[in-house]
Amino acid sequence: MAAHRPLNRREMAAWRAFLTAHARVMRKLEAELVTEEGLSLAAYELLAALSEMPDRRARMSELTSLVFLTPSGVTRLVDKLAGDGFVRRERCTGDARVVYTVLTDQGLTRLEEAYLTHLRGVREHVVDRLGREELETVTAAMNRLAEICDTTLEDTA
Amino acid sequence: MAAHRPLNRREMAAWRAFLTAHARVMRKLEAELVTEEGLSLAAYELLAALSEMPDRRARMSELTSLVFLTPSGVTRLVDKLAGDGFVRRERCTGDARVVYTVLTDQGLTRLEEAYLTHLRGVREHVVDRLGREELETVTAAMNRLAEICDTTLEDTA
DNA sequence: GCTAAATGCTTGAGGACGCAAGTACATTCC
DNA sequence: GGAATGTACTTGCGTCCTCAAGCATTTAGC
């Protein structure tokens, strides 16, 4: 299945559409969230991830897989959010290497304020633009891309 | 159509899948291109865009819409690529404000070398993972997202 | 034709992020 | 039980990118 065959028109269109859609949607959502709520998308995602964890807490390594950052990125983002009082670090009693990040009440409030803005953005720019069938197909396709890149990463890394 | 209704499971799955797929695919492609060819994805995209323009040249403002960067990002990327000799600036005789960026022979060679790596990556991690039907549906969906965010941008900006 | 506004690009300043190296702790294996 | 290895996070450094402001040039309005 000649892996070197150039992309045909259809394939090229799909690839470009994927890139363009992501770039535009993310820029828009980020801009809205920053101007209306003073929160970056990454910060929002991190707070949201914490809010759904038991005890509103998670280890750094857990956050790494939920937010789309490397470990060092998570460390710095948590630094920043801790400085804002939205999050607090706690050492793990069992294993002194691990650090828990806990969502503070202030952080939860902040998240709740930002939630509506973000929800509206995601609905308006993404979810509500897709029909039921499309939603299913896109989800299946995207999940396949994510899975495969995941396993391939292990090979290379 | 209550814009404030929380995302249901299906909608949330689609949104997360989109984010995850993009993050993983891009990281993988970028890593492959950088380690195997010493070229960032942005640099590749810019060279590729130029190679398809008449006379292998384009104005900065044209590049801005093709690559996914702001004007200042394009200026800096072109600076870098010009330093590497892959690209050359030329002033426009008609309008002294505009600057053309021209792909040099060296740049074309570099692009041709990187092409196979990039093509293989896009096939392996994206295009060849999707069936014909999926490809069509995804393209349609992504184009709709891109269009809409485009028009909405004008409203806000 | 001269000022005012618009256009096209660049620059300065600052922030975000990744990689690779570093630190601290835990576990494994003689 | 002590060295070697592994794990969890952090830090130093460099890169890239954006926003806002700045130039230079062109176009519009009068």
Side-chain angles (χ1 to χ4, degrees), chain A residues 15-60:
Chain A
W15 172 236
R16 295 296 299 175
F18 177 63
L19 291 180
T20 307
H22 185 271
R24 297 235 175 107
V25 166
M26 294 314 257
R27 243 196 242 291
K28 188 89 180 92
L29 286 179
E30 174 94 36
E32 287 174 354
L33 204 57
V34 167
T35 66
E36 293 173 31
E37 307 289 345
L39 223 49
S40 73
L41 214 42
Y44 178 89
E45 300 274 11
L46 195 147
L47 297 181
L50 281 178
S51 77
E52 287 171 4
M53 305 295 283
D55 288 339
R56 304 187 336 208
R57 87 175 45 213
R59 313 167 40 147
M60 301 302 268

Side-chain angles (χ1 to χ4, degrees), chain B residues 60-95:
Chain B
M60 301 302 268
S61 50
E62 289 177 291
L63 293 176
T64 297
S65 48
L66 293 173
V67 183
F68 303 101
L69 293 175
T70 59
S72 70
V74 174
T75 291
R76 289 180 157 101
L77 179 52
V78 168
D79 280 349
K80 186 177 169 304
L81 291 173
D84 295 337
F86 299 152
V87 122
R88 168 170 36 87
R89 283 173 204 269
E90 275 180 18
R91 294 214 87 81
C92 173
T93 51
D95 185 335

Side-chain angles (χ1 to χ4, degrees), chain A residues 17 21 24-25 124-131 134-135, chain B residues 136-151:
Chain A
R24 297 235 175 107
V25 166
E124 187 178 331
H125 307 311
V126 184
V127 171
D128 287 352
R129 302 296 179 186
L130 305 178
E134 270 180 327
L135 218 57
Chain B
E136 305 265 294
T137 304
V138 167
T139 304
M142 294 297 135
N143 277 332
R144 195 153 347 109
L145 300 188
E147 276 168 28
I148 279 142
C149 270
D150 206 18
T151 62

Side-chain angles (χ1 to χ4, degrees), chain A residues 9 17 33-34 36 40 45 53 66 88 105 117 142-143:
Chain A
R9 179 159 303 135
L33 204 57
V34 167
E36 293 173 31
S40 73
E45 300 274 11
M53 305 295 283
L66 293 173
R88 170 170 34 89
D105 290 342
T117 297
M142 294 296 133
N143 277 333

